[in-house]
Structures are given as C-alpha cells and as structure tokens.
Amino acid sequence: MNTYIAIVFSSDDKAHQALRKLWQMDDEGLLTVHGAAVVRRDDMGHIRVADRNSDLGMRTAIGVGVGALLGLLAGPVGVAAGVAGAAALSVGAATGVGALAGAAVGATADAVTETRRENAAYESFFTLKHGQSAVVAEVSEDWTHVLDDAMHPMGGTIYRRMNNATTNAAFGENYYNGYLYPYYSEPMYG
Amino acid sequence: MTKPQTVLELARHDAQELHKKISGNVARAEQATWADVKAVQADINALGARMKTLAEDQADAVKSGIKAALTKMDAAGKLVEDKTVAGATAAKDGVKHANDAMLESVHNATTSLSAAVAAARSKLAHAIEPKKPVA
C-alpha cells in the first residue's frame, strides 16, 4: 500500500526523532520510505520546510513539492489553498519560506479546523497548529499498525492519504515526486 | 542510514549516495567543475548498467519506472563539455546544467529502485503472513 503520510508532533525535536525513526524502520525493512521531509508551523503561522542548509539545489524544489503535498493532506478545502501556497513557497524559498505561503497553508489548517466542528468527515484531515511540526512522507507499508505502534509512543498523530491516480491528480503539474529527500538527511531550517 | 541487505537494496543505497554526492556538487556550484561531472557520470553509468539487469526481474509497473529512469540517466551520462563556449559564466552554466540533469536522473533512479524494494518487501511480507484457517 503506497501512502502519503503526515505525522504531527508538538515540537521540532520530536519530528526530527520521528524522521530518524522512519528511516530506521526502512532500514529494518518494516516499511519503505520513498521520500520524506520535516515541516513546522512557527508561532507566526508560517509553514517552514526543513532541508539541508547547504543544499541550495534542492531548496526551491522542496518548497513547491511539499507545499502541494501539504495541500493534499489538508483535504478538499486545503487542496486549492495548498497548491496556491506551493507556488508561493517556491518564490519564498530563496530567502526562506514566505509569509504568504505560510498564511495560505495556515489558513487552510484553520479552515479545516473550523469546518471540523460541522462535518465529522473532516476529522482525518491534516492540521498543523502554531508551534507544531510534522514529518511528511511517501511510504509503502503492508500493515498500518507497524508505523502507528512506532509513532504513537513518540506522541505523533498520523494522517494518511492513498497514493493513487485520484489523489495525485490534485498535484497537477506540481506533483511533489522528486522533492522529498529520498534518504535520511538531518533536517535544518535555512 | 540505509543498511543494504539485498541486491535491490544495495542498488538503492548506492543511488541514494550518488544523489547526495550530486546534491553536494549542486550546492557548491561556484566550485563545481567538469571533472566533478565526469566522475559522477562514471558512477551513473555503472549504476545504470546494474539497474538494467535488475529491471528484468521486476513486475511491469516497477520495470517501466526503472526504464524511464535509465533513459534519463543515459542522457545525463552522455553530457559533455562544450569547449567552444567562451567565458567563465558560460562554463559554469554548462556544469550547472549537467549537475541538474544528473540530479534529476539519479532522483528518478532512487525512487524507481525504492518502488522495486517496496514491491519485493511486500511480496515477502505476504508470503510469511500467517494464513487464516479455512472454515
């Protein structure tokens, strides 16, 4: 089962530990990680993508891809705003992720939170509150409980979306593939 | 971090390491040279040769992903320095273009090998999965 996941944590440290754990599980053959990154929403509401500080070649690309992925994980309300945010992320990436992108994706999260009170169907959609961090990734897993059992004790909440033609259509030309690190890399914020 | 265990996992690991190496060259764009490009091209061609062999044993969906990556790797592995261009900026642009093409091709190689590894692991997992007794 090929899945997009977001694992939300209350702190950066936890998210970084979770990223390490995710790749360790890959190492042990418990699941396969195709690509992963860490994002955080700061106290101002801006979404920031952690990357390797020296890796200028990847930074712009990560902005576009992860923005689209966040949009997907944010659910139907978030797809449009998330993809719009992705465009802004790519622009802002040269100097750090821009406020506009943070606002767009942040607003998405707020909208979903608001909607959740009215529609239980939104319960599973990804939200990232101020000060929270998340591991976003594409993984192949045969049993979901393996990842659940590893992340819940660390305080992570897991959100999943199937990787299929329908979900990938939401990415449009900004399909994220190629923009998440396909190996473990110590996350940093540029 | 990856500890290779099977031939597929080993190839994936090598692709990941190559990806890191090219990312490093892209990051130090000012200092990157055609000598760096040629060194990486040799690694790309070697990885490509192994992937061609590995592709034959894969299911169609995985095989097509590997073959698409191979096409890009083949093109990136053949890029050569244009010695007719004048000026340091033009030369740097050539190196940048080559590094970008190589990064993309090796990224495709990494993800296609990752898909192959996932398929193999899934097959194994279901083979050893406890079977429910027939009622």
Side-chain angles (χ1 to χ4, degrees):
Chain A
M1 183 173 68
N2 200 323
T3 317
Y4 298 112
I5 58 168
I7 315 168
V8 179
F9 293 91
S10 57
S11 73
D12 275 349
D13 284 348
K14 288 279 186 191
H16 290 193
Q17 285 173 31
L19 181 70
R20 204 174 298 121
K21 179 71 180 173
L22 195 64
W23 281 107
Q24 188 185 338
M25 293 173 74
D26 179 291
D27 195 25
E28 294 167 4
L30 298 173
L31 50 72
T32 304
V33 183
H34 301 291
V38 171
V39 299
R40 74 174 175 192
R41 190 178 184 196
D42 65 22
D43 291 337
M44 301 292 288
H46 302 167
I47 301 287
R48 290 183 177 274
V49 182
D51 61 4
R52 286 163 58 191
N53 218 13
S54 61
D55 204 346
L56 301 178
M58 288 291 285
R59 182 173 291 178
T60 302
I62 280 177
V64 177
V66 174
L69 183 55
L70 287 174
L72 175 72
L73 288 159
V77 174
V79 169
V83 171
L89 277 163
S90 68
V91 173
T95 54
V97 176
L100 179 57
V105 180
T108 301
D110 289 340
V112 172
T113 304
E114 187 66 30
T115 308
R116 188 164 56 180
R117 298 192 188 98
E118 300 168 7
N119 187 346
Y122 284 99
E123 280 291 334
S124 64
F125 290 131
F126 170 78
T127 59
L128 197 61
K129 296 174 186 166
H130 291 213
Q132 285 186 328
S133 294
V135 175
V136 288
E138 181 188 344
V139 301
S140 289
E141 51 186 354
D142 290 293
W143 296 284
T144 55
H145 72 82
V146 175
L147 185 61
D148 293 348
D149 291 349
M151 294 300 161
H152 288 163
M154 298 175 74
T157 305
I158 303 175
Y159 299 84
R160 288 182 172 86
R161 286 283 176 280
M162 292 294 293
N163 177 346
N164 55 32
T166 307
T167 50
N168 288 339
F171 286 125
E173 292 181 1
N174 286 325
Y175 179 51
Y176 98 93
N177 193 14
Y179 306 119
L180 298 180
Y181 281 103
Y183 45 80
Y184 175 73
S185 176
E186 190 70 36
M188 300 171 74
Y189 292 96
Chain B
M1 180 174 278
T2 304
K3 186 169 61 183
Q5 293 160 336
T6 66
V7 176
L8 264 179
E9 285 169 332
L10 184 63
R12 178 193 182 212
H13 175 262
D14 289 349
Q16 289 170 324
E17 291 301 311
L18 197 48
H19 193 297
K20 285 181 200 172
K21 188 173 178 181
I22 301 169
S23 291
N25 288 345
V26 170
R28 58 181 193 89
E30 288 300 310
Q31 290 82 38
T33 65
W34 273 102
D36 297 323
V37 171
K38 284 181 184 171
V40 171
Q41 282 177 324
D43 291 341
I44 288 178
N45 291 333
L47 179 64
R50 287 163 63 197
M51 287 172 62
K52 268 181 200 160
T53 306
L54 289 170
E56 297 311 315
D57 296 329
Q58 307 306 314
D60 287 347
V62 172
K63 192 185 288 184
S64 67
I66 292 177
K67 287 192 170 173
L70 281 170
T71 303
K72 292 205 170 190
M73 291 168 77
D74 192 44
K78 286 178 179 163
L79 289 171
V80 292
E81 181 179 8
D82 181 357
K83 293 186 176 170
T84 63
V85 297
T89 306
K92 277 192 180 109
D93 285 348
V95 171
K96 183 182 181 310
H97 171 69
N99 274 327
D100 288 347
M102 291 192 300
L103 184 66
E104 186 187 356
S105 73
V106 172
H107 187 94
N108 285 5
T110 307
T111 51
S112 65
L113 287 168
S114 184
V117 166
R121 287 175 175 175
S122 185
K123 196 173 174 183
L124 179 64
H126 289 288
I128 62 174
E129 183 182 18
K131 302 288 182 291
K132 288 177 185 170
V134 178

